[in-house]
Amino acid sequence: MEPSGAESSVTPAAATAATAATAATTVTDDPERSRYELRVAGELAGFLTYHLRGEQISLNHTEVEPHFQGKGLATHLARFSLDDARKRGLAVLPFCPYVNSWIRKHPEYEDLVPPDRRTEFGLA
């Protein structure tokens, strides 16, 4: 599994495949493994590891299986993990470069990062 990377250019055929993959995508929390898992049609396509400590969750690393990369699936992991943190009242520490950059592109999630830690993550 390779770490998720930057967005890539997408051909029309890839866009169709991405749409099909997105339609069959589910993300769940696996607390025993401390990770959110993304599945496409039941197949593990990626995950985001975390460390939960009290009322704070550190989002550490996002990976998407090579044959699922370039389909925009890592965004599902980022959004799900952040929405889950908000729902649970957890402060977020985005150590994962992908999640960190995703928050920068979606500033409506910046409030999840404690104000005194935002500079550390380049969010202030």
Side-chain angles (χ1 to χ4, degrees):
M1 220 178 250
E2 296 292 323
S4 64
E7 297 292 323
S8 61
S9 60
V10 179
T11 64
T16 301
T19 301
T22 300
T25 298
T26 58
V27 181
T28 56
D29 182 10
D30 183 346
E32 290 183 15
R33 297 182 83 177
S34 296
R35 70 186 196 176
Y36 293 100
E37 296 181 339
L38 179 137
R39 295 183 183 278
V40 174
E43 181 181 353
L44 182 64
F47 60 86
L48 192 163
T49 61
Y50 64 80
H51 178 76
L52 184 60
R53 184 177 195 175
E55 297 299 311
Q56 184 171 280
I57 189 166
S58 297
L59 301 176
N60 299 318
H61 181 70
T62 303
E63 289 192 26
V64 174
E65 287 286 349
H67 64 283
F68 286 107
Q69 290 179 0
K71 298 177 178 153
L73 296 175
T75 196
H76 291 283
L77 284 165
R79 186 182 310 271
F80 185 92
S81 67
L82 295 168
D83 286 345
D84 187 54
R86 186 179 304 284
K87 181 172 52 177
R88 295 167 60 187
L90 300 173
V92 172
L93 301 179
F95 290 105
C96 170
Y98 181 82
V99 173
N100 186 296
S101 69
W102 199 88
I103 292 172
R104 289 179 197 199
K105 293 175 188 172
H106 300 87
E108 65 272 21
Y109 288 93
E110 192 174 296
D111 67 301
L112 292 171
V113 180
D116 63 332
R117 302 288 302 266
R118 290 180 190 158
T119 301
E120 175 183 349
F121 297 104
L123 299 170

Tab-separated table of all heavy atoms in Angstrom, residues 9-19 70-71:
chain	number	residue	atom	x	y	z
A	9	SER	N	-4.258	14.007	-12.438
A	9	SER	CA	-5.182	14.267	-13.535
A	9	SER	C	-5.959	12.989	-13.809
A	9	SER	O	-5.445	11.889	-13.674
A	9	SER	CB	-4.418	14.713	-14.782
A	9	SER	OG	-3.515	13.709	-15.167
A	10	VAL	N	-7.212	13.131	-14.188
A	10	VAL	CA	-8.096	11.990	-14.340
A	10	VAL	C	-8.656	11.963	-15.754
A	10	VAL	O	-9.206	12.953	-16.229
A	10	VAL	CB	-9.254	12.060	-13.312
A	10	VAL	CG1	-10.191	10.896	-13.473
A	10	VAL	CG2	-8.706	12.126	-11.901
A	11	THR	N	-8.520	10.815	-16.417
A	11	THR	CA	-9.065	10.646	-17.755
A	11	THR	C	-10.561	10.378	-17.645
A	11	THR	O	-11.057	10.007	-16.583
A	11	THR	CB	-8.394	9.460	-18.468
A	11	THR	OG1	-8.727	8.260	-17.745
A	11	THR	CG2	-6.889	9.633	-18.529
A	12	PRO	N	-11.324	10.511	-18.752
A	12	PRO	CA	-12.761	10.220	-18.690
A	12	PRO	C	-13.059	8.796	-18.219
A	12	PRO	O	-13.978	8.577	-17.437
A	12	PRO	CB	-13.232	10.448	-20.129
A	12	PRO	CG	-12.259	11.457	-20.673
A	12	PRO	CD	-10.947	11.114	-20.033
A	13	ALA	N	-12.250	7.820	-18.666
A	13	ALA	CA	-12.471	6.434	-18.237
A	13	ALA	C	-12.225	6.303	-16.734
A	13	ALA	O	-12.968	5.626	-16.023
A	13	ALA	CB	-11.560	5.481	-19.003
A	14	ALA	N	-11.176	6.963	-16.259
A	14	ALA	CA	-10.874	6.918	-14.832
A	14	ALA	C	-11.968	7.618	-14.033
A	14	ALA	O	-12.310	7.196	-12.933
A	14	ALA	CB	-9.520	7.551	-14.551
A	15	ALA	N	-12.515	8.696	-14.575
A	15	ALA	CA	-13.591	9.410	-13.895
A	15	ALA	C	-14.815	8.509	-13.746
A	15	ALA	O	-15.467	8.501	-12.709
A	15	ALA	CB	-13.950	10.682	-14.648
A	16	THR	N	-15.128	7.726	-14.766
A	16	THR	CA	-16.245	6.790	-14.702
A	16	THR	C	-15.977	5.728	-13.644
A	16	THR	O	-16.844	5.407	-12.842
A	16	THR	CB	-16.480	6.121	-16.068
A	16	THR	OG1	-16.759	7.150	-17.018
A	16	THR	CG2	-17.635	5.150	-16.025
A	17	ALA	N	-14.743	5.213	-13.619
A	17	ALA	CA	-14.374	4.217	-12.611
A	17	ALA	C	-14.452	4.828	-11.218
A	17	ALA	O	-14.897	4.188	-10.268
A	17	ALA	CB	-12.978	3.675	-12.886
A	18	ALA	N	-14.016	6.070	-11.087
A	18	ALA	CA	-14.055	6.748	-9.792
A	18	ALA	C	-15.489	6.919	-9.320
A	18	ALA	O	-15.793	6.723	-8.147
A	18	ALA	CB	-13.359	8.101	-9.881
A	19	THR	N	-16.385	7.276	-10.234
A	19	THR	CA	-17.789	7.430	-9.880
A	19	THR	C	-18.357	6.106	-9.403
A	19	THR	O	-19.061	6.051	-8.394
A	19	THR	CB	-18.599	7.964	-11.083
A	19	THR	OG1	-18.037	9.213	-11.466
A	19	THR	CG2	-20.054	8.151	-10.731
A	70	GLY	N	-5.959	7.572	-7.126
A	70	GLY	CA	-6.356	8.445	-8.222
A	70	GLY	C	-7.854	8.518	-8.442
A	70	GLY	O	-8.305	9.055	-9.443
A	71	LYS	N	-8.632	7.977	-7.512
A	71	LYS	CA	-10.089	7.970	-7.644
A	71	LYS	C	-10.759	8.861	-6.614
A	71	LYS	O	-11.966	8.835	-6.449
A	71	LYS	CB	-10.604	6.528	-7.531
A	71	LYS	CG	-10.074	5.646	-8.643
A	71	LYS	CD	-10.518	4.221	-8.494
A	71	LYS	CE	-9.975	3.430	-9.684
A	71	LYS	NZ	-9.779	2.044	-9.394
